[in-house]
Amino acid sequence: MKKIIIYIFLFTIYPIYAQNNNFLFIEAENFNDAGGWVVDQQSIDIIGSSYLMAHGLGVPVQNATTTIHVPEKGNYRVWVRTRNWAAKWSNAENAPGKFQLLFDNKILTTVLFGTEGVDWHWQDGGVITLTKEVVKLSLHDMTGFNGRCDAILLTSDMDFIPPGKVDELTQFRKKCLSYDQPEAAGKYDLVVVGGGIAGITTSIAAARLGCKVALIQNRPVLGGNNSSEIRVGLSGLIFKDPYPNLGNIVDEIGPIGHWALYEANREPASERSKHILKVIEENPEKKIHNAGPESNYEDNKKIAVIEKEENIDLFLNTHVYEVKKNKNKITAVIGKDIITGKESIFEGELFVDCTGDGNLGFLSGADYRVGREGKGETGEKSAPLEPDSLVMGTSVQWYSDKLSEPSSFPLTPWAIQFSEETSQKLTRGDWDWETGLLWDQIKDIEKIRDHALRAVFGNWSFLKNKSNDKDQYANYKLAWVAYIGGKRESRRLMGDVVLSEQDIVNNIPYDDASFTTTWPIDLHYPLKIEGLENEEPFLAEADQQIIKPYPVPYRCLYSRNIENLFMAGRNISVTHVALGTIRVQRTTGMMGEVVGMAASLATKYKTDPRNIYKNHLNELKTLMKEGIPTTKQH
């Protein structure tokens, strides 16, 4: 029987008590009803957990609620794991993320949570007397500006202080929730970690060629940067020589509106392209590539295609955080449900890192790089003289809607403070609202996203309240701001070939040429704004070098030191400069198709990715020439 494991915000909590019954540990993200709060897992590896966040765009969100069962009536000290995310820039009075804790709709004294400390910590909520066995617990947002709560602890031991260090807290959390051993999720030919475009195409290609596949994604939707959570359009051309049938699956799962710029991709015009042009003519909003309406990204379509594949088991809301190995081979991965915390183990013969961040490769000990190589190492003309840690950043896109009447927006003293000279007079923020180019895109992702929010909210507040042109913005209302960052670059896993700028611009041929990259070598740099020198950049500029279509070697798609690890996506084996062309999503989708084909051959011959190149390259070329059958063909 086909297994579909899809946890889409189905909140259920059964508080588990410690052996001495002295306390209750309640995960905020596991509340019965999240209300208007959202689950954020982006920094789960850093802080040890996902958490609930009140992303209300300046309007307080609906309460998150749950029911707890009190083991004994009496007095309990209340601890809440939270932080003042803007503490670096504001005091407690101006903290943007204030929220209250309610017991049976009664406010817990006068404590305002989210007002103390720049780091995650346990904030003391004082003592409450509980006289009922069943109590309703609520998180009450007060600002709409991203208050956040990880967990709540009630203890009858007035001297007990919950552990603060992440490792100690993780063990404490597992003990409280009785999660001792992960449950067996199954054994697979191929385990795909990461459900962006590359993960989807990898899974479908391998499944249609006979592999039993587990697709693991740590969000409730598929698509990664192309999902409605991030809203980056699909770029890059498919159906290109030397393998013009690569791209079939990308075409099948891709939102139709994103073909608006590419309707002439195949000549002469096909029935498909004629249909696309008609759809665009009838629905002009579908032309919006980035930061468009939610429907433009067709999340349900992606999931529906996966659900129809008998050879794929889909696991949403599951974050892989641990790897089991036998020497240089991965034998299994352990994933944690970002809602319930329950753990599952996935055994496999082959694994694919489609996480973007190279998380699976990192956990397995794969060789990787971060940042820019120096000219002395790569000889690339676009490389800096010396290596450094600069990367392309994370975009937090946004847009507003025009209403028939004026709308207000709060003042934001904790945000970036803009002026007539520094403000961005816009009603929509595209890809260039990009930050974190000088920070660690993995360890600092919460800070990166938060700094972007300070820019978006601060700029909008200035336009609405202080700008000389505020009348022009009176009827505009902030409608959508991403809270999951759209990343471009972090770890790059090293393969047997590390693609360089020279390979691309000099059209260096390889015998294992595979998917074709067509996007320019598009590198991003921080854009500094005069008058905001004391703030980290929040905008970026692009430097583009046009290229001719270039087929990338297959040997960039597997790890050079972990025997059974493939990769597809922005984390493949390239230099920082070469990443500028291969990182766009139609291109990464074709990578996935190639990896799925190679995985089917590795399964057939009971071998590893490297030996596909050494001993079965001609068979891989045949598969690439034929392409993967689409739903209509399959």
Side-chain angles (χ1 to χ4, degrees):
M1 180 181 294
K2 179 175 170 57
K3 185 190 298 181
I4 302 289
I5 310 296
I6 305 179
Y7 300 112
I8 304 184
F9 299 103
L10 299 179
F11 295 91
T12 305
I13 182 158
Y14 303 95
I16 306 298
Y17 316 127
Q19 292 179 352
N20 59 13
N21 277 351
N22 280 338
F23 49 80
L24 288 82
F25 189 98
I26 303 119
E27 291 277 25
E29 60 271 23
N30 199 17
F31 268 34
N32 297 118
D33 182 358
W37 297 64
V38 296
V39 176
D40 185 350
Q41 96 310 328
Q42 293 171 100
S43 53
I44 191 170
D45 290 327
I46 309 305
I47 70 170
S49 175
S50 52
Y51 56 87
L52 280 187
M53 183 168 67
H55 187 57
L57 312 187
V59 178
V61 305
Q62 182 182 348
N63 287 359
T65 60
T66 199
T67 300
I68 62 173
H69 297 263
V70 181
E72 294 182 4
K73 299 176 183 179
N75 294 331
Y76 287 84
R77 182 172 293 281
V78 180
W79 295 93
V80 176
R81 191 168 188 242
T82 183
R83 64 185 292 248
N84 177 358
W85 67 267
K88 180 179 177 181
W89 307 284
S90 69
N91 56 32
E93 182 180 353
N94 291 325
K98 300 174 188 175
F99 66 95
Q100 295 170 317
L101 189 60
L102 280 63
F103 289 81
D104 284 337
N105 297 321
K106 295 180 180 179
I107 299 172
L108 177 65
T109 64
T110 58
V111 175
L112 297 180
F113 294 100
T115 58
E116 301 176 2
V118 68
D119 297 319
W120 283 94
H121 66 287
W122 289 99
Q123 184 173 342
D124 188 351
V127 177
I128 188 171
T129 301
L130 299 179
T131 60
K132 296 166 57 178
E133 291 183 0
V134 179
V135 177
K136 178 183 177 183
L137 193 62
S138 304
L139 297 177
H140 176 64
D141 173 36
M142 300 180 68
T143 69
F145 283 124
N146 301 84
R148 52 204 71 178
C149 179
D150 168 27
I152 299 160
L153 180 74
L154 306 181
T155 176
S156 59
D157 182 350
M158 298 300 155
D159 297 323
F160 179 78
I161 300 175
K165 294 182 178 179
V166 172
D167 290 346
E168 295 175 0
L169 178 57
T170 297
Q171 295 306 312
F172 178 73
R173 194 187 305 262
K174 285 185 177 182
K175 181 179 178 181
C176 290
L177 301 178
S178 297
Y179 294 152
D180 296 324
Q181 297 295 327
E183 297 180 357
K187 297 182 179 181
Y188 297 91
D189 298 318
L190 183 67
V191 176
V192 181
V193 182
I197 296 299
I200 297 170
T201 58
T202 298
S203 300
I204 294 173
R208 289 182 184 172
L209 292 171
C211 294
K212 183 64 176 174
V213 179
L215 173 56
I216 308 172
Q217 164 73 333
N218 63 5
R219 292 301 302 164
V221 296
L222 294 173
N225 280 348
N226 185 240
S227 72
S228 64
E229 294 189 319
I230 301 173
R231 306 191 190 184
V232 176
L234 299 180
S235 295
L237 300 179
I238 57 177
F239 305 135
K240 307 299 289 184
D241 289 334
Y243 298 107
N245 283 322
L246 285 180
N248 282 346
I249 301 177
V250 181
D251 181 46
E252 182 179 346
I253 67 169
I256 191 169
H258 296 177
W259 284 103
L261 301 177
Y262 301 96
E263 66 272 1
N265 198 14
R266 273 182 165 173
E267 296 179 358
S270 63
E271 291 303 314
R272 164 76 165 159
S273 63
K274 292 176 184 176
H275 172 62
I276 290 167
L277 287 172
K278 183 179 179 181
V279 170
I280 297 303
E281 183 179 353
E282 295 174 351
N283 303 273
E285 74 280 358
K286 288 189 175 293
K287 284 186 178 180
I288 301 175
H289 202 55
N290 298 331
E294 178 179 359
S295 60
N296 280 15
Y297 304 90
E298 300 183 16
D299 295 343
N300 291 338
K301 175 182 178 181
K302 299 181 181 81
I303 288 179
V305 173
I306 292 293
E307 287 180 343
K308 291 177 182 177
E309 296 295 330
E310 289 298 322
N311 283 338
I312 300 177
D313 289 343
L314 174 62
F315 300 85
L316 294 177
N317 285 328
T318 303
H319 179 76
V320 169
Y321 76 96
E322 186 176 340
V323 163
K324 300 293 185 182
K325 288 173 58 180
N326 180 9
K327 297 181 180 179
N328 287 328
K329 291 185 67 174
I330 303 171
T331 58
V333 298
I334 299 177
K336 177 191 299 185
D337 187 293
I338 69 169
I339 308 296
T340 67
K342 291 184 66 174
E343 298 181 356
S344 302
I345 186 165
F346 303 82
E347 297 182 68
E349 296 296 326
L350 299 163
F351 295 80
V352 190
D353 191 329
C354 297
T355 64
D357 280 333
N359 286 340
L360 177 57
F362 173 77
L363 291 169
S364 66
D367 293 340
Y368 70 94
R369 293 178 184 172
V370 175
R372 299 191 296 179
E373 298 92 342
K375 269 189 170 64
E377 180 178 1
T378 66
E380 296 168 308
K381 70 183 181 86
S382 299
L385 288 176
E386 299 294 333
D388 60 30
S389 59
L390 186 140
V391 296
M392 288 179 278
T394 292
S395 288
V396 170
Q397 301 181 130
W398 59 275
Y399 64 80
S400 61
D401 286 338
K402 191 171 185 179
L403 309 178
S404 59
E405 56 188 25
S407 70
S408 61
F409 192 79
L411 295 173
T412 54
W414 41 267
I416 295 177
Q417 298 303 297
F418 288 89
S419 66
E420 290 295 336
E421 293 72 30
T422 61
S423 62
Q424 309 300 301
K425 294 179 171 57
L426 303 167
T427 58
R428 177 173 167 272
D430 208 308
W431 66 266
D432 55 335
W433 284 70
E434 177 182 352
T435 192
L437 293 87
L438 303 172
W439 291 337
D440 188 316
Q441 290 282 321
I442 296 169
K443 293 181 180 179
D444 297 329
I445 186 56
E446 190 178 7
K447 179 173 72 170
I448 289 169
R449 188 273 317 278
D450 290 348
H451 179 64
L453 293 180
R454 290 181 64 242
V456 174
F457 293 143
N459 188 70
W460 192 248
S461 182
F462 177 83
L463 295 180
K464 294 284 289 182
N465 297 304
K466 298 180 180 180
S467 171
N468 293 338
D469 302 319
K470 63 183 180 182
D471 289 347
Q472 297 181 23
Y473 298 94
N475 285 27
Y476 281 93
K477 180 179 181 180
L478 203 55
W480 175 78
V481 179
Y483 67 92
I484 302 295
K487 294 185 183 181
R488 285 175 182 80
E489 179 180 7
S490 47
R491 302 185 188 105
R492 306 186 306 280
L493 305 177
M494 297 294 99
D496 282 347
V497 171
V498 181
L499 190 72
S500 70
E501 180 181 25
Q502 300 96 308
D503 291 323
I504 300 161
V505 298
N506 295 328
N507 201 27
I508 302 299
Y510 285 89
D511 62 341
D512 57 337
S514 60
F515 68 94
T516 297
T517 184
T518 57
W519 195 251
I521 297 178
D522 179 7
L523 302 175
H524 293 192
Y525 300 93
L527 179 62
K528 296 182 179 180
I529 298 175
E530 186 176 352
L532 290 177
E533 289 84 0
N534 293 329
E535 292 283 358
E536 291 287 337
F538 62 89
L539 295 175
E541 55 186 347
D543 179 23
Q544 294 190 338
Q545 179 183 177
I546 303 300
I547 67 166
K548 295 179 180 179
Y550 178 77
V552 176
Y554 159 73
R555 282 171 290 170
C556 295
L557 299 177
Y558 61 84
S559 170
R560 67 189 184 191
N561 67 308
I562 301 299
E563 294 177 17
N564 60 341
L565 177 62
F566 290 101
M567 51 267 194
R570 60 180 174 84
N571 56 358
I572 71 166
S573 183
V574 295
T575 65
H576 165 84
V577 175
L579 179 65
T581 175
I582 61 89
R583 61 181 173 78
V584 294
Q585 292 173 93
R586 282 202 184 91
T587 305
T588 63
M590 289 190 291
M591 294 178 200
E593 293 182 24
V594 173
V595 167
M597 295 171 184
S600 74
L601 295 176
T603 300
K604 175 181 178 181
Y605 294 110
K606 300 186 184 304
T607 189
D608 58 40
R610 178 175 287 115
N611 276 315
I612 298 303
Y613 169 71
K614 289 183 175 179
N615 300 315
H616 307 285
L617 182 58
N618 286 337
E619 198 166 345
L620 177 59
K621 289 180 177 181
T622 298
L623 289 176
M624 290 191 290
K625 183 178 180 181
E626 294 173 350
I628 298 295
T630 64
T631 301
K632 292 181 180 180
Q633 299 168 313
H634 184 53

